[in-house]
Amino acid sequence: MTDLSSYADLDLDRARRRGYPEAVFCAGKTPEQVAGIAAAVAARPDVVTLFTRASPSHARAVLEVLPDAVHDAGAGLLAWPPAEPAPAGGPVVVVTAGTSDLPVAREAMLTARYLGRRTEMVVDVGVAGLHRILAHLDTLRSARAVIVVAGMDGALPGVVAGLIAAPVIAVPTSVGYGAAFEGLAALLTMLNACAPGVAVVNIDNGYGAGHLAAQIAAP
Amino acid sequence: MTDLSSYADLDLDRARRRGYPEAVFCAGKTPEQVAGIAAAVAARPDVVTLFTRASPSHARAVLEVLPDAVHDAGAGLLAWPPAEPAPAGGPVVVVTAGTSDLPVAREAMLTARYLGRRTEMVVDVGVAGLHRILAHLDTLRSARAVIVVAGMDGALPGVVAGLIAAPVIAVPTSVGYGAAFEGLAALLTMLNACAPGVAVVNIDNGYGAGHLAAQIAAP
Amino acid sequence: MTDLSSYADLDLDRARRRGYPEAVFCAGKTPEQVAGIAAAVAARPDVVTLFTRASPSHARAVLEVLPDAVHDAGAGLLAWPPAEPAPAGGPVVVVTAGTSDLPVAREAMLTARYLGRRTEMVVDVGVAGLHRILAHLDTLRSARAVIVVAGMDGALPGVVAGLIAAPVIAVPTSVGYGAAFEGLAALLTMLNACAPGVAVVNIDNGYGAGHLAAQIAAP
Amino acid sequence: MTDLSSYADLDLDRARRRGYPEAVFCAGKTPEQVAGIAAAVAARPDVVTLFTRASPSHARAVLEVLPDAVHDAGAGLLAWPPAEPAPAGGPVVVVTAGTSDLPVAREAMLTARYLGRRTEMVVDVGVAGLHRILAHLDTLRSARAVIVVAGMDGALPGVVAGLIAAPVIAVPTSVGYGAAFEGLAALLTMLNACAPGVAVVNIDNGYGAGHLAAQIAAP
Amino acid sequence: MTDLSSYADLDLDRARRRGYPEAVFCAGKTPEQVAGIAAAVAARPDVVTLFTRASPSHARAVLEVLPDAVHDAGAGLLAWPPAEPAPAGGPVVVVTAGTSDLPVAREAMLTARYLGRRTEMVVDVGVAGLHRILAHLDTLRSARAVIVVAGMDGALPGVVAGLIAAPVIAVPTSVGYGAAFEGLAALLTMLNACAPGVAVVNIDNGYGAGHLAAQIAAP
Amino acid sequence: MTDLSSYADLDLDRARRRGYPEAVFCAGKTPEQVAGIAAAVAARPDVVTLFTRASPSHARAVLEVLPDAVHDAGAGLLAWPPAEPAPAGGPVVVVTAGTSDLPVAREAMLTARYLGRRTEMVVDVGVAGLHRILAHLDTLRSARAVIVVAGMDGALPGVVAGLIAAPVIAVPTSVGYGAAFEGLAALLTMLNACAPGVAVVNIDNGYGAGHLAAQIAAP
Amino acid sequence: MTDLSSYADLDLDRARRRGYPEAVFCAGKTPEQVAGIAAAVAARPDVVTLFTRASPSHARAVLEVLPDAVHDAGAGLLAWPPAEPAPAGGPVVVVTAGTSDLPVAREAMLTARYLGRRTEMVVDVGVAGLHRILAHLDTLRSARAVIVVAGMDGALPGVVAGLIAAPVIAVPTSVGYGAAFEGLAALLTMLNACAPGVAVVNIDNGYGAGHLAAQIAAP
Amino acid sequence: MTDLSSYADLDLDRARRRGYPEAVFCAGKTPEQVAGIAAAVAARPDVVTLFTRASPSHARAVLEVLPDAVHDAGAGLLAWPPAEPAPAGGPVVVVTAGTSDLPVAREAMLTARYLGRRTEMVVDVGVAGLHRILAHLDTLRSARAVIVVAGMDGALPGVVAGLIAAPVIAVPTSVGYGAAFEGLAALLTMLNACAPGVAVVNIDNGYGAGHLAAQIAAP
């Protein structure tokens, strides 16, 4: 399986066609396949390529081919070329309900940044202590799009949406146990948020949230 | 099926034995069966009997036998004898996220009252507008137990629990549509509330919530 | 229950505070309650109020109080005052996969319009015949936000997202049968869309989609 | 990520504000993050802090910073400072249906104790042999709140609730296999308990049960 | 569709082949089809035929053809020829947790009787008041098979199984609401019963339970 | 909504492009919309059009415009022009497990016929009496494709697949109750059939099964 | 935790009281706890004790205390004392659909044997090749109770029940993948078996099946 | 357990009887059992035998007995005798939505080949970039059956079915995360495909897809 075309059909022109580059979803690919893709990517430094859901062995495979790629191990993300594009468009604020939601939040933040947005992060401000989120109202209201990452009850995005005019991108996480059902509870909460203005993405999908935020906050 | 013993085994001594009287769950019973039970109840004015989940035809059957019974049609509840017992124990506050949660909230409030507690109600204070619940902090903090009734995202009980020292009894309702899944979403949210101190009962179970509040706020 | 405050806590200042007015969710409210709310609304012609999920009896209750309210029976929506605000911001395009998705699509379109956006609609362009959606590429690419309404397999939003740069708001509908599970299948499809840029809202939630589109396409 | 504020926003004043201290949920945090929090906790010996869902590596991280912390490995719990507060309020009785429910029961018992309640434990008294639970009626009836921990069919809390006047806090556990669905079966049983007076918490949530019991049995 | 063979392939020799006659499941059949089957049945008075899940219109169709058929409207059951066979084998005891479980219990009892067993019924002895079931221990222990019919938490079969040596056939019913999920909660409880000796049949399947009991208690 | 293009985008050239004509899914459309589509269809007698999932009011709407359309009320199907095409390709055999599965089976059979296949039907041969299906082995083995329609346990398709060389199209139906979960149980059985050669379609999807059979048995 | 009473309340008199001895469910217990129970068991050689769901470390703990215990590693079962009781009552036949169902089938067979029944086993006779099960009709018809163990589609028990007069105990197994959902598909199939006479137990619950068979086939 | 008949009942004559040979499902079998089956297979080189879902230890067991067996480790498949039969019938095209779907696609392709069909593969052409699938229209339209393998949203099979006349066999894969629910989302999408002509098999069931394709494309 040495020929790239036998396992992948890269879309390196997506950025030109659609405005945003393709990302490489690593889960389920062998490290060899990821390395083969990285080699093709190396020929196109004009396009920012993100490798998502990269395990340590995926990361090693990428870094061997693209040694200067940026790697955030917690987020399972690599970006190449390493330089972030100059920021344009409106600011994106990323909020987490708890510390355990950080890896997903970082995936979202880095995606938005590598797609060209300014970002800011507010951490550990879940609804069990409302004073925490209320202390950041100015930051929240300065954003063109707010990403809220939350597991367990997933209540924070609806609360934030009720406080601001910008759209909220809600990312349920698999943080929690028992009836959290790997993020299903948070997902349902967010889909049923009483406050309008909540856009939901898949459980743990920091990449999708960052991409959506970049589109909403586009110049 | 004219003999009561062929379809029911009443537990009219439960109040003496357990401290709280039995309630008659009407759903699934024929109006004739409910009437038969009401006739047996009529012989025991020393015990407060609640008829729950009573349809209009159930209610007519009860009222024919016990014409002075109190009937709250929205809540599907009847109580006999009609006089509420003198209140004892701590105050119980019942809170609703929205107007559509009122029937369940009234079932909870009336149950707590007929089991001997003082009650107060706060309505339509869902998390989409936080200022509404924050305006009632004093009332909430005066309670020995707070019942929070909410459908859709079910986020309110966790927010309330984070603001007070008393236990919160969370009642998910079937208010909502789509991914609310008839109250399942709210139920899961409440089971996963970030703030501890949230006791969950079945979807739309106002009776159970009122009973539990009466026990918690007992003298 | 004649006093509004006993069942509702209106938030008529939300537009000033958050930029968008509150909507009145009618499902689960009695027509009398809706009429009471309409009466309060009548005092505030400066705010656009939407009544959503209004059954015929809800609609009659509103129209008795606000006879000039606009009423779209299929969408279960009423708007008052009837005049649409002058459009501002970017265009919003609403797309349906099939004819049966129209009521939800109209709820979305009217919401976006009453919140101040220009809208356009493209109907019955599901993926079973790709030439239909491809024929509308120019319209799709002219939008600042695209709402895609689809039941059954819910595949259309992902396909659209792969064709344009603007964010896609995906609305699963309960159209279908069997393993469509009242919209659950379409919901899951949309949450798992291969193409990034898909923001999902609740099943049949045309109102939420229209609101979100208005926020994304805000000036 | 050396600065605490980059990943956590501790609420060490919660005890003063709400009456009960915050707990640190370790799952999903790195040992380094937990150690950082422990260091902040070390400055506040006036507050009891519990670390819940602590894996062995989390525990090591805490014990390195707070070497005298109490650690119950089975329950995944650490407490600091180690001295239990002087008991106040009513007694809390913790009951398990089977031996395999013990870790969760111990988490509940220790939480109630560190929040200031007297506790007693009754083990392995599931409904398959009713004589076992009936032998403990006096203990059960002496409690201000009873925590019942059960997996598999989860039938015990409803049986206990039918025997006593105090509220029962039901904790479903993930003990069982097949159609136990990791505790879902027990959870549903408890939510549908025929006897009123059953307050349900999340699957395996011993901490939440202990906290709720402490609130109910508060002085 | 006047020819029986165009819609049904009756198995009127099943009794000879398998020992128990076929039953006619009416749900989903038109009254005309049921009438056609009844006409074929009329030629075979040597075989007991049961018509199950018969709506009023199904029943009318049967009774027009077989006017002396026995009809239990609550149970949706008809039997023809009307005479019960002489009882043989061991006794079957049918137990209900609540009054609302009676229709299913009657379907079970009548099925067992028309398949040739002696039956006895014990009603409304749910686990919320254990003294009720304990008062019937002698009856329960006299049975060769016990059918326990219960909705809501479905806890009764497991409790009964722990008290007797004979097998318990557990029939979950759709009695309940909310998280009872139309009998799913009771079904799961029964499948996870701590006490061995519990045989589970489908929700509301009184016919299947009666059949199984007849087989277990066969001479 | 009088203009067809405002609610539908017919694909009347699909037969030419893809080999099979488009069908009109009526559920969720208003009778007026269906009538409008029928009017457009009337201009194209060269194409066979099927109207599926047609309620009585949909059927009336079609028949008013196309009075000679064939209408099978049980199957909810209309076909126009009424003449079946001359049969070509291999034979299709449709099998039902029970009488209640007939409406779906007829939808499948008529679809296959109007798409140009010879069909034969075998009814009421569920696995509870194996001799019934075994009596039809010759018919089954003569088919180029066999459609097996079954509710409840859905076991028949796997049994048939183990007996023949041709592919089996399995159609789960919503026949059954309780844990049949509206056809979900049968669907899962079919997806897990031990015998290979089972192609599954949606619950109650007779149209899809007939279409697929026509494709498999194409000349 | 050295005192047995701190973690278990053995019911070694159950055999005398209920006719069948208690089994020790090892899953979720520590090896130390299992060893402690084994030590208590050692004092009662008059009672057969089964240890179920024993991992290798549980087995080692038992064998250290009761070195002559019988151990079937595949089935995760230990029995002590090792001698099987003299058989009484009717024969029990255990049937598997596939080879992968053997461990559960052996648990069932050994349980029935240690509770005093004669047993016979028929393996790998799933419905994909009907000739296999039909070849064993005489054996099946000789049984007082038949246990059928099947994963994937779980179709075999219903087929067997249609062929014999004795009750069938259906044991779904977690054999399979994908939409087998860890045995859920087989469980649902069995609950919906078209043939009456199918008693269902929990997924992979060989012990429960063997126990139930022993009760049904009791002298 | 040394005797083959104690754990398996091989059906090596299936090819003669049904036209296609039996496959050996390895999951859940011990390597010893698989080796025993391989030994029996070795005596029948006239039949092609596939070993599916073979782990590395299963594969080693087979290869020790049948050293020239073909082994595709990614697909978990072995075939013996190693020579592919001469192709007959129509061509089968296998399509994957993404690179991660390749192992399942290879299982399908190899199965179809060893059952005697010509195959071709098209990879990584998911709907996020429609131009990719459209570039292969000629290949797709040349097939007698097309297998489409897709995880995540599972949208590709419906799109392909809308473009061609041949039947599409849709294989959902467990590729994805979160609300992909191990392939459930893709499965539901495929069952609800708007385009008719989609035959669905179990999640990750490449073998079943290949077998079905071979049957459809049979000479």
Side-chain angles (χ1 to χ4, degrees):
Chain A
M1 217 183 265
T2 48
D3 180 16
L4 179 65
S5 74
S6 72
Y7 58 86
D9 184 351
L10 295 192
D11 191 9
L12 293 169
D13 283 325
R14 187 181 291 182
R16 210 191 37 189
R17 202 180 69 245
R18 214 196 131 183
Y20 300 92
E22 192 186 38
V24 181
F25 177 77
C26 295
K29 294 193 175 70
T30 62
E32 290 69 32
Q33 291 169 337
V34 171
I37 294 170
V41 160
R44 289 292 299 271
D46 57 314
V47 180
V48 171
T49 297
L50 297 175
F51 295 81
T52 65
R53 307 226 147 217
S55 68
S57 61
H58 289 130
R60 273 193 302 273
V62 173
L63 290 168
E64 209 149 300
V65 182
L66 305 165
D68 60 338
V70 165
H71 180 213
D72 186 303
L77 194 85
L78 298 105
W80 188 87
E84 296 177 9
V92 171
V93 172
V94 183
V95 180
T96 79
T99 303
S100 308
D101 301 314
L102 260 179
V104 175
R106 287 190 60 79
E107 187 189 20
M109 188 189 69
L110 289 168
T111 299
R113 263 198 218 161
Y114 275 95
L115 299 183
R117 301 294 165 266
R118 274 196 310 283
T119 67
E120 197 165 343
M121 195 173 289
V122 173
V123 299
D124 197 20
V125 293
V127 301
L130 278 184
H131 60 286
R132 296 187 294 194
I133 186 69
L134 296 175
H136 294 278
L137 265 184
D138 286 351
T139 303
L140 297 170
R141 287 184 171 153
S142 71
R144 180 69 182 90
V146 175
I147 296 172
V148 184
V149 185
M152 294 182 174
D153 62 14
L156 188 58
V159 166
V160 171
L163 294 167
I164 67 174
V168 167
I169 300 166
V171 192
T173 67
S174 50
V175 170
Y177 58 91
F181 294 129
E182 306 287 322
L184 176 59
L187 171 63
L188 294 181
T189 308
M190 294 169 184
L191 287 167
N192 287 287
C194 297
V198 177
V200 184
V201 298
N202 193 7
I203 299 164
D204 290 336
N205 188 5
Y207 166 70
H211 194 287
L212 194 57
Q215 290 172 287
I216 293 173
Chain B
M1 218 183 263
T2 50
D3 181 14
L4 178 65
S5 72
S6 72
Y7 59 85
D9 183 350
L10 298 191
D11 191 9
L12 293 169
D13 284 325
R14 187 182 292 182
R16 210 191 38 192
R17 202 179 68 243
R18 213 196 131 183
Y20 299 91
E22 191 187 38
V24 180
F25 177 78
C26 295
K29 294 192 174 70
T30 64
E32 292 69 33
Q33 290 169 338
V34 170
I37 293 170
V41 159
R44 291 290 301 269
D46 58 312
V47 180
V48 171
T49 297
L50 297 175
F51 295 80
T52 65
R53 306 229 146 215
S55 69
S57 62
H58 288 131
R60 276 193 300 274
V62 172
L63 290 167
E64 209 149 298
V65 181
L66 305 166
D68 60 336
V70 166
H71 179 212
D72 186 302
L77 193 85
L78 297 106
W80 190 87
E84 295 175 8
V92 171
V93 172
V94 182
V95 180
T96 80
T99 303
S100 306
D101 301 314
L102 259 179
V104 174
R106 286 191 59 80
E107 186 188 21
M109 186 189 71
L110 288 168
T111 298
R113 263 198 217 162
Y114 275 95
L115 298 183
R117 300 296 164 264
R118 276 195 310 282
T119 67
E120 199 165 342
M121 195 174 284
V122 174
V123 300
D124 198 19
V125 294
V127 300
L130 278 184
H131 60 287
R132 295 187 297 193
I133 187 70
L134 295 175
H136 295 277
L137 264 185
D138 286 351
T139 303
L140 296 170
R141 287 183 171 155
S142 71
R144 180 68 182 89
V146 175
I147 297 171
V148 183
V149 185
M152 294 181 174
D153 62 15
L156 188 58
V159 166
V160 172
L163 293 166
I164 67 174
V168 167
I169 300 167
V171 192
T173 68
S174 49
V175 169
Y177 59 91
F181 294 128
E182 307 287 321
L184 177 59
L187 171 63
L188 294 182
T189 308
M190 294 169 184
L191 287 167
N192 287 288
C194 296
V198 177
V200 185
V201 298
N202 193 6
I203 298 163
D204 290 337
N205 188 6
Y207 166 70
H211 194 288
L212 194 57
Q215 290 172 286
I216 293 173
Chain C
M1 215 181 267
T2 49
D3 181 15
L4 178 65
S5 73
S6 72
Y7 59 85
D9 183 351
L10 297 191
D11 191 10
L12 294 169
D13 284 326
R14 187 181 292 182
R16 210 191 36 191
R17 205 181 66 245
R18 211 195 134 185
Y20 300 92
E22 192 186 38
V24 180
F25 177 78
C26 295
K29 293 192 176 67
T30 64
E32 292 70 32
Q33 291 169 338
V34 171
I37 293 170
V41 160
R44 290 291 300 270
D46 58 314
V47 180
V48 171
T49 297
L50 298 174
F51 295 81
T52 65
R53 308 231 144 214
S55 69
S57 61
H58 289 130
R60 276 192 299 276
V62 172
L63 289 168
E64 207 149 300
V65 181
L66 305 165
D68 60 338
V70 166
H71 180 212
D72 186 303
L77 193 84
L78 298 107
W80 190 88
E84 296 176 8
V92 171
V93 172
V94 182
V95 180
T96 80
T99 303
S100 307
D101 302 313
L102 259 179
V104 174
R106 286 191 61 77
E107 187 188 20
M109 187 190 69
L110 289 168
T111 299
R113 263 198 219 162
Y114 275 96
L115 298 183
R117 300 295 165 265
R118 276 194 311 282
T119 67
E120 199 164 342
M121 195 174 287
V122 173
V123 299
D124 198 20
V125 294
V127 299
L130 278 185
H131 60 287
R132 296 188 295 194
I133 186 70
L134 295 175
H136 295 278
L137 265 185
D138 286 351
T139 304
L140 297 170
R141 287 185 170 151
S142 72
R144 180 68 182 87
V146 175
I147 297 172
V148 184
V149 185
M152 295 181 173
D153 61 16
L156 188 57
V159 166
V160 172
L163 294 166
I164 65 175
V168 168
I169 300 167
V171 192
T173 68
S174 49
V175 169
Y177 59 91
F181 294 129
E182 307 286 322
L184 176 60
L187 171 64
L188 294 181
T189 308
M190 294 169 184
L191 287 167
N192 287 286
C194 296
V198 177
V200 185
V201 299
N202 194 6
I203 298 164
D204 290 336
N205 189 6
Y207 166 69
H211 195 287
L212 194 56
Q215 290 172 285
I216 293 173
Chain D
M1 217 183 263
T2 48
D3 180 15
L4 178 65
S5 73
S6 72
Y7 58 86
D9 184 350
L10 297 191
D11 192 10
L12 294 169
D13 283 325
R14 188 182 290 180
R16 210 191 39 189
R17 204 180 68 244
R18 212 196 134 184
Y20 301 92
E22 193 187 35
V24 180
F25 177 77
C26 296
K29 295 192 174 70
T30 63
E32 291 68 34
Q33 290 169 337
V34 171
I37 293 171
V41 160
R44 288 292 299 270
D46 57 313
V47 180
V48 171
T49 296
L50 298 175
F51 295 81
T52 65
R53 308 228 144 216
S55 69
S57 61
H58 289 130
R60 274 192 301 275
V62 173
L63 289 168
E64 208 148 300
V65 181
L66 305 165
D68 60 338
V70 166
H71 180 213
D72 186 303
L77 193 85
L78 297 106
W80 189 86
E84 296 176 8
V92 171
V93 172
V94 182
V95 180
T96 79
T99 302
S100 307
D101 302 314
L102 260 178
V104 175
R106 287 190 61 79
E107 186 189 21
M109 187 188 70
L110 289 169
T111 299
R113 263 198 217 162
Y114 275 95
L115 298 183
R117 302 295 166 264
R118 277 195 308 283
T119 67
E120 201 165 340
M121 194 173 287
V122 173
V123 299
D124 198 20
V125 294
V127 300
L130 278 184
H131 60 285
R132 295 187 296 193
I133 185 71
L134 295 175
H136 294 278
L137 264 185
D138 286 352
T139 304
L140 296 170
R141 288 184 170 152
S142 71
R144 181 69 183 88
V146 175
I147 296 170
V148 183
V149 185
M152 295 181 174
D153 61 15
L156 189 58
V159 166
V160 171
L163 294 166
I164 66 174
V168 167
I169 300 166
V171 192
T173 66
S174 50
V175 170
Y177 59 91
F181 293 129
E182 307 287 320
L184 177 60
L187 172 64
L188 294 181
T189 308
M190 294 169 183
L191 288 167
N192 286 286
C194 296
V198 177
V200 185
V201 298
N202 193 5
I203 298 164
D204 291 334
N205 188 4
Y207 166 70
H211 194 287
L212 194 57
Q215 289 172 287
I216 293 173
Chain E
M1 217 183 266
T2 49
D3 180 15
L4 178 65
S5 72
S6 72
Y7 59 85
D9 184 350
L10 296 191
D11 191 9
L12 293 169
D13 284 325
R14 187 182 292 182
R16 209 191 38 188
R17 202 181 68 243
R18 211 196 134 184
Y20 300 92
E22 191 186 39
V24 180
F25 177 77
C26 295
K29 295 192 173 71
T30 64
E32 292 67 35
Q33 291 170 336
V34 171
I37 293 171
V41 159
R44 289 293 298 272
D46 58 312
V47 180
V48 171
T49 298
L50 297 175
F51 296 81
T52 65
R53 306 229 147 216
S55 69
S57 62
H58 289 131
R60 274 193 301 275
V62 173
L63 289 169
E64 209 149 300
V65 182
L66 305 166
D68 60 337
V70 167
H71 180 212
D72 186 303
L77 194 83
L78 297 106
W80 189 86
E84 297 175 6
V92 171
V93 172
V94 182
V95 180
T96 79
T99 302
S100 306
D101 301 314
L102 259 178
V104 175
R106 286 190 61 77
E107 187 189 20
M109 187 190 70
L110 289 167
T111 298
R113 263 197 217 164
Y114 275 95
L115 298 184
R117 301 295 165 265
R118 276 194 310 283
T119 66
E120 201 165 341
M121 195 173 286
V122 173
V123 299
D124 198 19
V125 293
V127 300
L130 277 185
H131 60 287
R132 295 187 297 193
I133 186 69
L134 295 176
H136 294 278
L137 263 185
D138 286 351
T139 303
L140 296 170
R141 287 184 170 154
S142 72
R144 181 69 182 88
V146 175
I147 296 170
V148 183
V149 185
M152 295 179 173
D153 61 16
L156 188 58
V159 166
V160 172
L163 293 166
I164 66 174
V168 166
I169 300 166
V171 193
T173 68
S174 49
V175 169
Y177 58 92
F181 294 129
E182 307 286 322
L184 177 59
L187 172 63
L188 294 182
T189 308
M190 294 170 184
L191 287 167
N192 287 287
C194 296
V198 177
V200 184
V201 297
N202 193 5
I203 298 164
D204 290 336
N205 189 5
Y207 166 70
H211 194 288
L212 194 57
Q215 290 172 287
I216 293 173
Chain F
M1 217 182 267
T2 49
D3 180 16
L4 178 66
S5 73
S6 72
Y7 60 86
D9 184 350
L10 296 191
D11 192 8
L12 293 169
D13 284 326
R14 187 182 293 182
R16 210 192 36 190
R17 203 179 67 244
R18 211 196 134 185
Y20 300 92
E22 192 186 38
V24 180
F25 177 77
C26 296
K29 294 193 175 70
T30 63
E32 291 69 33
Q33 291 169 338
V34 171
I37 293 170
V41 159
R44 289 291 299 272
D46 57 313
V47 180
V48 171
T49 297
L50 298 175
F51 295 81
T52 65
R53 308 229 144 215
S55 70
S57 61
H58 289 131
R60 275 192 302 275
V62 173
L63 290 168
E64 208 148 299
V65 182
L66 305 166
D68 60 339
V70 166
H71 179 212
D72 186 303
L77 193 85
L78 297 107
W80 189 85
E84 296 176 8
V92 171
V93 172
V94 182
V95 181
T96 79
T99 303
S100 307
D101 301 314
L102 260 179
V104 174
R106 286 191 61 78
E107 187 188 19
M109 187 189 70
L110 289 168
T111 298
R113 263 199 218 162
Y114 275 95
L115 297 184
R117 300 296 166 263
R118 276 194 309 283
T119 66
E120 200 166 341
M121 196 174 288
V122 174
V123 299
D124 198 19
V125 293
V127 299
L130 278 184
H131 60 286
R132 297 187 295 195
I133 186 70
L134 295 176
H136 295 277
L137 265 184
D138 285 352
T139 303
L140 296 170
R141 287 183 172 154
S142 71
R144 179 71 182 87
V146 175
I147 296 171
V148 184
V149 185
M152 295 180 174
D153 61 15
L156 189 57
V159 166
V160 172
L163 294 166
I164 66 174
V168 167
I169 301 166
V171 192
T173 68
S174 50
V175 169
Y177 58 92
F181 293 128
E182 307 285 322
L184 176 59
L187 171 64
L188 294 181
T189 308
M190 294 169 183
L191 287 167
N192 287 286
C194 297
V198 178
V200 185
V201 299
N202 193 6
I203 298 164
D204 291 335
N205 188 5
Y207 166 70
H211 194 287
L212 193 57
Q215 290 172 286
I216 293 173
Chain G
M1 217 184 265
T2 50
D3 181 15
L4 179 64
S5 72
S6 74
Y7 59 84
D9 184 349
L10 297 191
D11 192 8
L12 294 169
D13 284 325
R14 188 182 290 182
R16 209 189 40 188
R17 202 180 69 244
R18 215 197 131 181
Y20 300 92
E22 192 185 38
V24 180
F25 176 78
C26 295
K29 294 191 176 68
T30 63
E32 292 69 33
Q33 291 170 336
V34 171
I37 293 171
V41 160
R44 290 293 299 272
D46 57 314
V47 180
V48 171
T49 296
L50 298 175
F51 295 80
T52 65
R53 307 228 146 218
S55 69
S57 61
H58 289 130
R60 275 193 301 275
V62 173
L63 289 168
E64 206 149 303
V65 182
L66 305 166
D68 60 338
V70 166
H71 180 212
D72 186 303
L77 194 84
L78 298 107
W80 189 86
E84 296 176 8
V92 171
V93 172
V94 182
V95 181
T96 80
T99 302
S100 307
D101 301 314
L102 260 179
V104 174
R106 287 192 60 80
E107 186 189 21
M109 187 189 70
L110 289 169
T111 299
R113 263 198 216 163
Y114 275 95
L115 298 182
R117 302 294 166 265
R118 276 195 309 282
T119 66
E120 200 165 341
M121 194 173 288
V122 174
V123 300
D124 198 19
V125 293
V127 300
L130 278 184
H131 60 287
R132 295 187 295 193
I133 186 70
L134 295 175
H136 295 278
L137 264 185
D138 286 351
T139 303
L140 296 170
R141 287 184 172 153
S142 71
R144 181 69 183 90
V146 175
I147 297 171
V148 184
V149 185
M152 294 179 174
D153 61 15
L156 188 58
V159 167
V160 172
L163 293 167
I164 66 173
V168 167
I169 300 167
V171 193
T173 67
S174 49
V175 170
Y177 58 91
F181 293 129
E182 307 286 320
L184 177 59
L187 171 64
L188 294 181
T189 307
M190 294 170 184
L191 287 167
N192 287 288
C194 297
V198 178
V200 186
V201 298
N202 194 6
I203 298 163
D204 290 335
N205 188 5
Y207 166 70
H211 194 286
L212 194 56
Q215 290 172 287
I216 293 174
Chain H
M1 214 183 268
T2 50
D3 180 16
L4 179 66
S5 73
S6 72
Y7 60 85
D9 184 351
L10 296 191
D11 192 8
L12 293 170
D13 284 326
R14 188 181 290 182
R16 210 192 37 189
R17 202 179 69 245
R18 215 197 131 181
Y20 300 92
E22 192 186 38
V24 180
F25 176 78
C26 296
K29 293 191 175 70
T30 63
E32 290 70 33
Q33 291 170 336
V34 171
I37 293 171
V41 160
R44 290 292 298 271
D46 58 313
V47 180
V48 170
T49 296
L50 298 175
F51 296 80
T52 65
R53 306 230 146 215
S55 69
S57 61
H58 288 130
R60 275 193 301 273
V62 172
L63 290 168
E64 207 149 301
V65 182
L66 305 165
D68 59 338
V70 165
H71 180 212
D72 186 302
L77 193 85
L78 299 106
W80 188 88
E84 296 177 9
V92 172
V93 171
V94 182
V95 180
T96 79
T99 302
S100 307
D101 301 313
L102 258 179
V104 174
R106 287 190 60 79
E107 186 189 20
M109 188 189 69
L110 289 168
T111 298
R113 263 199 217 162
Y114 275 96
L115 298 183
R117 301 294 164 266
R118 276 195 310 282
T119 66
E120 198 164 343
M121 195 173 287
V122 174
V123 300
D124 198 20
V125 292
V127 300
L130 278 184
H131 61 287
R132 296 187 295 191
I133 186 71
L134 295 175
H136 295 277
L137 264 184
D138 286 351
T139 303
L140 296 170
R141 286 184 172 154
S142 71
R144 180 70 183 90
V146 175
I147 296 171
V148 183
V149 185
M152 293 181 174
D153 61 16
L156 187 59
V159 166
V160 171
L163 294 167
I164 66 173
V168 167
I169 300 167
V171 193
T173 67
S174 49
V175 169
Y177 58 91
F181 294 129
E182 308 285 322
L184 177 59
L187 172 64
L188 294 181
T189 308
M190 293 170 184
L191 287 167
N192 287 287
C194 296
V198 177
V200 185
V201 299
N202 194 6
I203 298 163
D204 290 336
N205 188 6
Y207 166 70
H211 194 287
L212 194 56
Q215 290 172 286
I216 293 173

